[in-house]
Amino acid sequence: MKTSRRTFLGGLAKAMLAAAMAPRFVDARLLAGESAPSNRMQTAFLGTGGQGLSLVRNFLRHPACHVVAVCDPYRERRLNAAAAVTEATGAACPDFSNFAEVLTRPDVDAVVIATPDHWHSAISLAALRAGKAVYCEKPLAMSLDQNRAIAEAVERHHGIFQYGTMQRAQQTFRQAAELVRRRVIGDLQRIEVWAPGSATGGSTEEIPVPEGLDWDLYTGPAPMRPCTASRITSFGSWFCSDYALGFIAGWGAHPLDAVVLAADCDLAGPFTVSGNGSLPTEGLADTLTDWDAQFTFADGVTLRFMGAPTAQKAVKVRTTDEDNGTTFYGTKGWVSVSRGAFSASDPAWTRLVLPIRDDSTDYTRDYYGTFLRAARLGTRTACTAAEAARSDAFSHLANLAARTGQTLTWDPGAYRFAKPEGFERYRELPTRGAWRTT
Amino acid sequence: MRFLLSVTVFLCLHAVAIAEPPRVLVLSGANNHAWWTTTPEIVRVLEDGGRFQVDVASDVATLDAGAFAPYDVVVSNFNTFPNTTAPVWSAEVRTAFEEHMRRGHGLVIVHAGSTVFPDWPFFQKLAGGRWGDGTSHGKIHDGFVTFTNIAHPITTGLEPFWIRDEFWQDSALAPGAEVLATVVPDPASEGSGKPEPMLVTTEVEGARGVFLVLGHQAEVMRNPAWQTLLQRATAWAARGETSIPPAARWPTQQTDAAWPALGGTATLAALRHAIDASNGQNRAGLNVADRMVGGFAAGAPSARGDAAAVLTEIALSDAVSLAAKEFSLTGLRVLGGPDQVPALRQLGDDPALGFWALSALETIPGKAATAAIGTFVKNPALEGQARRVLAQRAAMAEPVPPGGDAVTDLVRSTDAATRRHAIGRLRGQWSPKLSTALLKALDLLEGPTLAAALALLAEKREAKATAVAGEALDLPGDPGEAAMDLLSRIGAARAVSELVRRIPSRPDAALRALERLPGAGVDAAIFEAIDHAEPAQQAHLIRVLGLRRATEFQSALFSLAESSSAPVRAAAIEALGRLATEEDFSALLAATARTPEASAALWAPVLIASAPGDAAVEPLSKAFDPSRPEQSTLLLTVLAGIGTERAVAVVSERLSSPEERLRRSALIALGRSRHAAALPLLLRARKDEVSPALQRLAFRQALELFDSLAWRQRLQNWPTLELLAREEAVSEDRKLLLATLAKVPTHDSLALVESLEAADASLAPEADAAASAIRKALGLAPAGAGPKNK
């Protein structure tokens, strides 16, 4: 109700006042030569399935972007992307099957990675080593060690890395973070985060590898399996543990990113995680369909991270009946934010105009442009690898606690399990082939 | 001769039947108790001394009608709680079970294995009892079990005994069940203090049943008396007789009830069982085994080694599925040690398992493992992985490439990559010395390099950079933008005059920077700048004050609201709309009323309406000015948008106004209110309204409002659509109703669409479209494609 009212008032204000107000101004940057050839970042797209293709389309609209290559081991998918580029620019776009070929090209300044998750680490590391600026889709990678490897490579190579958590460009997430950081809600006490769980099912029946698909390359660092219909669609790359952690990371990335924006509780020292969850017993999908993980941080703040089915029962204060969101509880009240809603114990808080914290880039108007600008100038990206590794670590730790039923103590500074010691080996997964993932 | 032969054959068969241990089928694989630890215990107790031949069904739902034939007795450690309505077995399987039981076989229930098949009278009667509505239990404590009938084969010759368990109270016993043993649960442990059945038998149409209420968890099953009861109960249920002697160390003292520590063997058996359970069936067992591997990883190193040995044995076994072997190798990644190296090396030759074996070897430290990994290089499929692992094992930390002075690098950089690299190094090595060097070098920089340097200085909050940034503000492109960005972040009050000067040339960026500029004294500096600014800029600056919530200038803004300059008046009212407090709403609306500009008149109510709760409702409801009719519509719309009960009520008062224009405005406002409470008001208005045009409007606004509600509210308010469907309406409106129904895909909607179509054939195209949309959303077959599913 509150949201509708705000939206309503906003819409009303826009509609009724457009004529009466002084003219709105043109974005000054469009006049500042951003699209001059010398300033356009030569960008290649690695992975051009559903999300990859939509990123190609979004970046194409940006004056500072020049798409110079598309790459996917599935011919149909890379040709679709090349066609989209040609349609928009009138020029032919070279297409590649193997990302390694793209990375050797000196005319590529930046790469946008939208492969299935099991490829994120290997390609990001190779691209950073090759000196390319990297825009990588969420979730970050398949294991805690892979996450660290990416963050370290960014530091070691002075690389540019932007994480594809577009949602943080929504003004409401900035606003919620400010309400927490400025202690409008008082001292932060606990956080609730919830996200949809993985689906169940998916075909396990082997099919011939489709014409034009390099199955070995598609599989990459993941275990080699017989090809099935669901393995080569987003179903497999979202819900099958060979290729992903499941929606605990794939969707969890968004509401957990809101935590990283608003609080630093995970940096305060070693923290504990315990939890449980539900796994499918049949079909291709074998990642958590629901989970309930409890984090206790060194500064006393707690975080409960849940799958939507658990949240449906457990979460009292919710923005709406949405299946994703983040609620921060402080000593003076709460604020709750999700993809489609924003509310607070004092509704007036949601309308406070809080200048954005001055130590960060204002990416809310132009998420892709922030990356292109960083690729050009070395400025900060909208979401750094270090931030990405923080939010993704919540998913990995919750997943591990839920799947093993153990209480874990994670030391973020030393980047290891303080307890139990025997858990150190859970930091990495088996990976196939010569590609380095850590 | 023939007779003798027959007798001989009969005797032989009989002898064989006696000698052959009874065959037991244990139902397991699901239970609201820890079946993965209790089932291995049950199996162990029954197999002890070769008394029974045991098979375990871990996926009970897949048992077919022929599944029971080989067995003398079924032992249930299975339930579907809390889903008590799960059918599990088809009628055919149930019938087969009943017939099998009636042929002189038996059923033994362990603890919560009773709480299943509530809709199956035969099973319930044979089971002897279950967890009922009134059943409860206290805390786990030591209880003394006494026998109420020692003439029964199961209890003959047994002494009372102590056991530590969860004791059910007021279990729901089946009619005809005989209680053989009881415990009086201790009230000090929330027990009932009266005798509660712990061992119950039944005999139903030739079938024998035993309900062993004891046995909440694996530790309980280590009690020797419990083991004797399970063995004897199973033997009796199978054959109607038993001669099993009581266990040796009978727990006659309370101290005997204490739980023995579960040895490694029990958990290892559970691990093995969990992996076996999923053989080619489903992953339930592996999911459990996965948890156990985690448990071993968290446990003592010696237990880790034992578990690794079990996993190795499974990985090498010929009798298990590929999935089980693969799982075992992933477990060894976590639990494996040097002892596993030879086996892993051997498994490397298996094409299906080589990858998993190598992956397990990767995590094992030591030279032996490294040497074993070396052998994988010869395997073309695994060469790349093996070489990578060897390289990583051998690698020292990658040396950081040598570099000169980062500032010099930046000055010399001409391409984006070098620039990025230099900035990255500066960021990483930042120090006051570097900061000074960079500030000095700014003069040498231009274009994107200057912009990059300014961006870094802003990030590092280098206050000395504001002077340079002020000079760079007018540069075109990146440097100008970076300078603006720097000022807006760290410029504080000093930056205000620079930014104000840029309003004419770069209005968007300058105003946005002023709006977000942090620091003390910024509001005052902006307010001061208003005095010196051109009239055109004044309005901008006043708006900025509003956006910044500069409340200390509220009274000053009230005087500006009376200014002779129209843009200033409008801006002041807009700013006040943002920062006025509740007590000033009326004053602001009064000031608005004195302002001739329409835009100002619009702003104030809209902004005020965003105040929390009902704070704005009273001032707004008093602001109606008969001389400004156009404002009434706005006020009503704004009030409806507030959406509280009170606000909606104020709007609905206008529905009875004598002025048709006001009634129209109120209807429109209610339609846009997004408040479900306005729905009945609109329905009533449709009845009360005299103007036919407004009657139609009420109908359409009700639909618009319905469409704007959240999904859950739409479901709650669905009856509204049914009421509208009964209304007399022109077919245009009916079509709108159909479109709304299509967006609420329920079976009720489908029925309503069909009835509307039946009543008025002219609606057929729209009704068909709506019906097919609903069918699609509900996952129903298109109309005519099959039987209707309602």
Side-chain angles (χ1 to χ4, degrees):
Chain A
M1 212 58 218
K2 304 280 181 325
T3 318
S4 345
R5 171 179 167 189
R6 204 163 37 78
T7 323
F8 164 81
L9 287 170
L12 182 74
K14 251 183 245 160
M16 300 191 83
L17 301 171
M21 286 288 298
R24 303 308 296 166
F25 305 106
V26 183
D27 188 332
R29 277 173 303 180
L30 292 181
L31 308 171
E34 195 167 10
S35 58
S38 59
N39 285 337
R40 292 174 67 191
M41 285 292 98
Q42 318 239 53
T43 311
F45 288 78
L46 314 179
T48 55
Q51 176 66 2
L53 188 57
S54 103
L55 282 168
V56 169
R57 297 214 161 96
N58 287 330
F59 271 91
L60 274 172
R61 288 193 205 104
H62 207 286
C65 178
H66 179 204
V67 182
V68 292
V70 292
C71 172
D72 198 297
Y74 203 159
R75 191 170 60 221
E76 184 188 320
R77 290 181 187 164
R78 65 176 181 266
L79 292 183
N80 278 345
V85 176
T86 306
E87 194 181 311
T89 64
C93 177
D95 63 280
F96 298 86
S97 173
N98 194 331
F99 70 96
E101 256 182 278
V102 177
L103 296 182
T104 56
R105 287 178 47 147
D107 64 333
V108 172
D109 296 314
V111 295
V112 175
I113 302 171
T115 61
D117 309 349
H118 70 283
W119 261 119
H120 284 182
S121 172
I123 300 183
S124 292
L125 292 178
L128 289 164
R129 279 199 295 271
K132 314 295 185 195
V134 173
Y135 180 104
C136 183
E137 261 305 323
K138 54 90 205 166
L140 187 54
M142 293 290 285
S143 73
L144 288 161
D145 271 1
Q146 293 183 9
N147 284 357
R148 177 169 64 171
I150 295 172
E152 280 185 352
V154 169
E155 262 186 43
R156 184 180 313 136
H157 302 289
H158 305 299
I160 294 298
F161 182 97
Q162 179 163 315
Y163 194 35
T165 42
M166 267 294 295
Q167 186 180 270
R168 64 157 57 188
Q170 279 183 23
Q171 193 61 43
T172 47
F173 285 87
R174 298 305 307 255
Q175 173 94 357
E178 292 301 318
L179 290 170
V180 178
R181 293 227 178 240
R182 289 161 187 266
R183 300 184 176 203
V184 175
I185 63 163
D187 291 334
L188 180 62
Q189 290 179 315
R190 65 189 174 92
I191 309 170
E192 283 174 348
V193 179
W194 64 102
S198 290
T200 57
S203 67
T204 52
E205 197 176 314
E206 181 167 7
I207 58 163
V209 175
E211 172 74 20
L213 169 61
D214 183 339
W215 179 238
D216 185 71
L217 191 57
Y218 185 96
T219 302
M224 177 50 71
R225 308 283 195 191
C227 183
T228 78
S230 296
R231 281 184 187 270
I232 52 175
T233 61
S234 56
F235 185 93
S237 52
W238 286 345
F239 305 131
C240 172
S241 67
D242 288 336
Y243 314 114
L245 216 60
F247 264 8
I248 192 172
W251 231 114
H254 286 307
L256 289 169
D257 184 51
V259 174
V260 170
L261 266 184
D264 296 325
C265 39
D266 55 321
L267 302 178
F271 56 86
T272 64
V273 195
S274 59
N276 53 55
S278 321
L279 287 163
T281 55
E282 288 170 312
L284 180 67
D286 58 351
T287 48
L288 291 168
T289 53
D290 188 20
W291 61 92
D292 186 357
Q294 182 79 19
F295 293 70
T296 306
F297 298 107
D299 59 1
V301 174
T302 61
L303 183 157
R304 188 173 176 194
F305 178 30
M306 290 163 276
T310 294
Q312 201 66 41
K313 287 171 254 155
V315 175
K316 299 279 188 298
V317 174
R318 270 186 289 144
T319 47
T320 60
D321 38 17
E322 286 199 31
D323 57 7
N324 67 91
T326 310
T327 307
F328 300 93
Y329 295 86
T331 45
K332 291 186 197 156
W334 54 264
V335 57
S336 187
V337 63
S338 70
R339 179 63 63 89
F342 182 36
S343 59
S345 50
D346 180 346
W349 290 348
T350 62
R351 296 186 293 271
L352 288 177
V353 175
L354 299 166
I356 288 164
R357 258 182 312 140
D358 46 20
D359 62 345
S360 59
T361 312
D362 180 10
Y363 46 77
T364 50
R365 285 190 303 175
D366 190 357
Y367 199 76
Y368 304 120
T370 306
F371 168 67
L372 294 166
R373 184 163 183 264
R376 192 164 84 251
L377 304 177
T379 47
R380 281 172 74 103
T381 58
C383 185
T384 64
E387 288 176 290
R390 282 175 61 199
S391 61
D392 202 37
F394 290 132
S395 299
H396 285 279
L397 292 169
N399 181 56
L400 206 47
R403 291 187 82 131
T404 63
Q406 299 299 311
T407 300
L408 320 173
T409 305
W410 177 247
D411 182 342
Y415 211 83
R416 61 187 296 275
F417 287 100
K419 264 190 280 181
E421 248 172 74
F423 260 56
E424 281 294 275
R425 292 194 193 169
Y426 277 118
R427 291 202 330 237
E428 175 56 328
L429 288 174
T431 55
R432 199 177 66 98
W435 302 283
R436 282 193 62 177
T437 55
T438 55
Chain B
M1 197 61 196
R2 280 170 69 110
F3 171 70
L4 193 61
L5 188 67
S6 308
V7 168
T8 316
V9 168
F10 172 74
L11 287 175
C12 288
L13 282 176
H14 190 67
V16 166
I18 291 294
E20 190 83 351
R23 296 196 61 183
V24 184
L25 178 66
V26 178
L27 307 183
S28 180
N31 195 314
N32 62 324
H33 292 58
W35 59 266
W36 53 89
T37 56
T38 51
T39 296
E41 284 295 323
I42 291 169
V43 172
R44 203 173 57 82
V45 169
L46 293 177
E47 283 181 341
D48 184 37
R51 286 201 174 93
F52 300 91
Q53 277 187 53
V54 186
D55 288 320
V56 178
S58 292
D59 197 353
V60 173
T62 63
L63 293 178
D64 59 24
F68 311 107
Y71 300 101
D72 300 293
V73 55
V74 172
V75 174
S76 174
N77 189 33
F78 165 86
N79 72 31
T80 52
F81 194 84
N83 180 2
T84 52
T85 55
V88 187
W89 286 338
S90 65
E92 186 199 353
V93 178
R94 288 182 175 196
T95 307
F97 179 87
E98 289 185 17
E99 281 169 6
H100 182 68
M101 286 294 146
R102 286 191 190 104
R103 282 195 286 268
H105 298 114
L107 171 69
V108 177
I109 301 283
V110 178
H111 196 64
S114 54
T115 311
V116 68
F117 303 128
D119 59 337
W120 185 3
F122 178 85
F123 186 93
Q124 291 302 321
K125 204 170 172 198
L126 186 60
R130 66 194 310 272
W131 182 275
D133 287 339
T135 309
S136 65
H137 63 76
K139 291 179 186 161
I140 288 175
H141 65 285
D142 297 343
F144 192 56
V145 180
T146 56
F147 295 104
T148 44
N149 175 1
I150 50 167
H152 195 278
I154 300 177
T155 53
T156 302
L158 297 186
E159 285 181 49
F161 64 93
W162 283 92
I163 192 165
R164 178 175 296 175
D165 201 353
E166 173 193 277
F167 302 115
W168 287 14
Q169 307 171 157
D170 300 312
S171 300
L173 293 194
E178 186 192 1
V179 177
L180 298 187
T182 58
V183 160
V184 179
D186 187 353
S189 298
E190 297 165 18
S192 65
K194 63 182 174 65
E196 299 289 353
M198 292 296 136
L199 181 66
V200 173
T201 58
T202 59
E203 288 185 67
V204 181
E205 301 164 36
R208 287 172 296 276
V210 186
F211 177 19
L212 180 52
V213 189
L214 298 167
H216 176 65
Q217 62 195 75
E219 284 86 349
V220 178
M221 299 173 175
R222 288 297 175 102
N223 186 304
W226 187 89
Q227 296 179 353
T228 300
L229 288 186
L230 178 71
Q231 289 169 344
R232 284 186 167 198
T234 309
W236 177 76
R239 301 269 163 88
E241 57 186 35
T242 170
S243 55
I244 296 173
R249 300 176 36 253
W250 196 253
T252 48
Q253 306 295 317
Q254 186 172 351
T255 48
D256 297 334
W259 285 343
L262 279 185
T265 48
T267 327
L268 286 174
L271 175 63
R272 194 191 301 271
H273 174 64
I275 297 174
D276 283 352
S278 62
N279 241 346
Q281 296 292 316
N282 63 46
R283 280 192 306 272
L286 292 186
N287 292 342
V288 172
D290 205 15
R291 287 176 77 86
M292 293 183 187
V293 169
F296 280 110
S302 61
R304 243 179 270 168
D306 292 346
V310 168
L311 292 173
T312 310
E313 192 189 308
I314 294 170
L316 291 170
S317 161
D318 290 329
V320 302
S321 68
L322 191 62
K325 290 176 173 219
E326 185 185 304
F327 171 83
S328 301
L329 289 171
T330 59
L332 284 177
R333 240 188 97 80
V334 178
L335 300 174
D339 290 352
Q340 276 71 51
V341 170
L344 292 171
R345 186 171 172 166
Q346 180 192 333
L347 285 163
D349 298 330
D350 183 329
L353 296 172
F355 164 69
W356 301 101
L358 176 55
S359 298
L361 273 172
E362 269 181 50
T363 61
I364 299 174
K367 282 185 189 158
T370 311
I373 294 167
T375 64
F376 283 76
V377 171
K378 293 187 211 106
N379 180 341
L382 299 171
E383 184 187 347
Q385 186 184 355
R387 287 198 189 282
R388 162 170 57 87
V389 175
L390 289 172
Q392 279 178 316
R393 283 189 163 222
M396 310 292 286
E398 205 175 306
V400 180
D405 170 16
V407 175
T408 315
D409 282 2
L410 181 66
V411 173
R412 287 184 188 153
S413 68
T414 50
D415 65 300
T418 326
R419 186 159 60 227
R420 258 182 358 231
H421 197 266
I423 288 284
R425 284 177 58 206
L426 283 168
R427 180 185 281 124
Q429 305 160 359
W430 194 249
S431 66
K433 208 172 128 195
L434 267 185
S435 166
T436 315
L438 183 58
L439 282 167
K440 272 191 200 151
L442 284 180
D443 279 350
L444 303 170
L445 304 179
E446 55 182 17
T449 315
L450 176 57
L454 288 172
L456 182 64
L457 287 162
E459 187 186 315
K460 298 296 181 185
R461 311 188 57 75
E462 180 51 80
K464 286 182 198 145
T466 49
V468 186
E471 290 166 25
L473 263 182
D474 296 323
L475 293 174
D478 288 331
E481 189 202 336
M484 182 70 84
D485 191 56
L486 183 144
L487 285 181
S488 71
R489 285 208 236 162
I490 61 170
R494 287 172 307 225
V496 170
S497 59
E498 288 283 0
L499 290 170
V500 169
R501 272 175 46 209
R502 265 58 174 207
I503 297 177
S505 57
R506 302 177 59 189
D508 184 38
L511 287 171
R512 194 173 162 79
L514 283 167
E515 186 187 317
R516 34 190 284 219
L517 194 58
V522 173
D523 290 345
I526 294 173
F527 185 72
E528 246 170 62
I530 295 175
D531 274 351
H532 314 298
E534 301 287 312
Q537 313 318 347
Q538 285 180 329
H540 284 313
L541 292 173
I542 293 168
R543 275 201 190 90
V544 166
L545 280 181
L547 287 165
R548 293 181 62 90
R549 298 284 198 275
T551 43
E552 68 265 46
F553 299 103
Q554 187 174 324
S555 54
L557 286 170
F558 266 114
S559 17
L560 286 170
E562 313 280 339
S563 158
S564 58
S565 150
V568 168
R569 282 199 303 270
I573 287 190
E574 183 194 324
L576 282 167
R578 291 187 198 279
L579 53 77
T581 45
E582 287 167 29
E583 50 270 31
D584 295 315
F585 283 170
S586 299
L588 176 56
L589 287 166
T592 307
R594 290 193 292 277
T595 312
E597 284 79 35
S599 65
L602 292 175
W603 257 123
V606 170
L607 291 168
I608 286 177
S610 68
D614 281 334
V617 175
E618 287 312 310
L620 284 172
S621 64
K622 284 183 191 136
F624 283 95
D625 180 352
S627 68
R628 299 176 80 169
E630 79 289 349
Q631 212 211 3
S632 307
T633 310
L634 171 80
L635 284 171
L636 285 171
T637 315
V638 166
L639 274 165
I642 290 176
T644 61
E645 302 277 347
R646 175 82 193 109
V648 170
V650 168
V651 176
S652 66
E653 281 165 22
R654 265 63 189 185
L655 288 174
S656 47
S657 159
E659 277 188 69
E660 182 171 334
R661 199 180 37 75
L662 265 185
R663 297 203 307 273
R664 165 182 290 276
S665 297
L667 285 174
I668 292 173
L670 288 176
R672 294 183 187 163
S673 67
R674 298 185 182 222
H675 197 292
L679 272 177
L681 297 175
L682 285 164
L683 289 185
R684 182 153 18 103
R686 179 168 164 84
K687 293 212 182 351
D688 297 349
E689 186 53 65
V690 285
S691 147
L694 291 194
Q695 284 175 4
R696 278 194 65 193
L697 182 64
F699 187 97
R700 278 178 276 130
Q701 289 305 103
L703 288 178
E704 182 177 334
L705 173 57
F706 186 90
D707 272 345
S708 71
L709 294 177
W711 169 243
R712 192 177 281 179
Q713 284 185 317
R714 272 192 269 166
L715 286 185
Q716 279 164 1
N717 289 287
W718 189 86
T720 304
L721 297 185
E722 213 171 16
L723 291 176
L724 286 173
R726 282 195 220 125
E727 297 270 314
E728 290 283 323
V730 297
S731 69
E732 292 283 294
D733 292 348
R734 283 259 161 85
K735 286 173 188 170
L736 291 174
L737 174 62
L738 284 169
T740 297
L741 280 166
K743 286 181 258 174
V744 196
T746 64
H747 292 288
D748 287 341
S749 291
L750 188 57
L752 191 52
V753 167
E754 282 163 358
S755 74
L756 279 169
E757 184 179 7
D760 181 354
S762 74
L763 295 174
E766 288 78 10
D768 287 347
S772 81
I774 295 173
R775 285 177 175 283
K776 198 171 165 204
L778 290 175
L780 300 179
K788 282 188 181 178
N789 182 0
K790 285 202 180 175

